Amino acid sequence: MIRIQRAGERYPGGDPAAGIETRHALSFGPHYDPDNLRFGALLAVNEERLAPGAGFDEHPHSHTEIVTWVVEGELTHRDTAGHETVVRPGDLQRLSSAGGVRHVERNDADVPLVFVQMWLAPLTPGGDPAYEVVRGITDPVPYDLPAADARLHVRRLGPGARAAVPDADFVYVHVARGTVRLDGEELGPGDAARLTDAGAAELRATGAAEVLMWEMRDWRRALG
């Protein structure tokens, strides 16, 4: 089964007056939808746009794996575990909030910032917070997230190029840039597809494209 969610169908959020515009793919905050609470391990897929100088003040997280992909600009991260980093396009940031951590995320640059932040449920809650930045993710080498039994594929495709969609219990496809075709549907920036036991599928870029694909097992099966 394949479900398409267009960029315009996301729930609006953030604080536009403060330079923060958010689009939520899954039920989030005041946008409660019992039929859209999670997909596989994914609890949130938030597309964030921060104006220069805007950001999220210090706030807490716990029992969540938080993966961030910068599309444009520079993201400044600080947390109470002592990490301070600037994350740029092509870098992947992971924060395992575990038993609890607080962090700040801002756009301290003088150009707009666009990033996608994805929250995943860990198989086992608690533990100690962990943080890493992987510089210059290489296509097609995937990023494994064992804590959530998930794998992220970042595909950068030239016009006409094709990429296999993983055959998994759950696959989430997010178009960060450009346009692709999937199962006869044209997907553009901010569009997403959710595949459940869909079998073999293929993306074809109709322009230069950057696509994020989460490959996830059914967490109930992973837990035995």
Side-chain angles (χ1 to χ4, degrees):
M1 184 179 75
I2 301 178
R3 174 185 171 187
I4 305 296
Q5 183 183 41
R6 300 295 178 185
E9 296 172 339
R10 291 168 171 264
Y11 310 117
D15 184 355
I20 302 171
E21 295 188 13
T22 305
R23 293 293 182 270
H24 304 287
L26 296 164
S27 184
F28 197 98
H31 301 288
Y32 177 70
D33 181 350
D35 297 322
N36 195 27
L37 294 177
R38 69 182 283 172
F39 179 74
L42 284 166
L43 303 173
V45 181
N46 301 335
E47 206 173 53
E48 306 282 3
R49 287 173 167 79
L50 302 185
F56 299 97
D57 294 332
E58 187 177 293
H59 59 281
H61 286 282
S62 61
H63 313 304
T64 311
E65 298 288 317
I66 303 172
V67 176
T68 304
W69 180 258
V70 174
V71 180
E72 299 175 11
E74 297 182 349
L75 172 67
T76 297
H77 167 94
R78 293 189 296 275
D79 63 47
T80 51
H83 305 104
E84 183 167 350
T85 316
V86 175
V87 187
R88 300 178 176 87
D91 299 339
L92 181 145
Q93 173 182 263
R94 176 183 63 87
L95 174 64
S96 294
S97 60
V101 70
R102 300 177 67 86
H103 73 152
V104 175
E105 290 183 319
R106 299 192 54 80
N107 180 7
D108 288 335
D110 57 2
V111 295
L113 167 64
V114 180
F115 64 96
V116 183
Q117 189 165 91
M118 299 154 283
W119 300 6
L120 295 93
L123 296 176
T124 304
D128 296 323
Y131 179 81
E132 71 172 335
V133 173
V134 181
R135 302 291 185 186
I137 289 285
T138 304
D139 179 1
V141 178
Y143 177 79
D144 286 327
L145 188 60
D149 204 4
R151 171 177 289 174
L152 177 63
H153 302 261
V154 179
R155 301 307 309 265
R156 300 182 184 92
L157 305 172
R162 299 173 183 269
V165 176
D167 182 3
D169 297 328
F170 301 99
V171 178
Y172 188 92
V173 178
H174 174 88
V175 182
R177 306 173 188 266
T179 55
V180 299
R181 289 193 71 81
L182 171 65
D183 194 39
E185 293 280 353
E186 183 95 4
L187 303 178
D191 290 346
R194 305 178 197 184
L195 293 82
T196 306
D197 295 321
E202 185 179 65
L203 289 174
R204 180 174 64 84
T206 53
E210 182 176 84
V211 182
L212 310 177
M213 291 192 287
W214 279 105
E215 174 186 357
M216 298 168 284
R217 276 201 302 176
D218 190 321
W219 70 94
R220 293 160 294 195
R221 185 178 306 168
L223 290 172

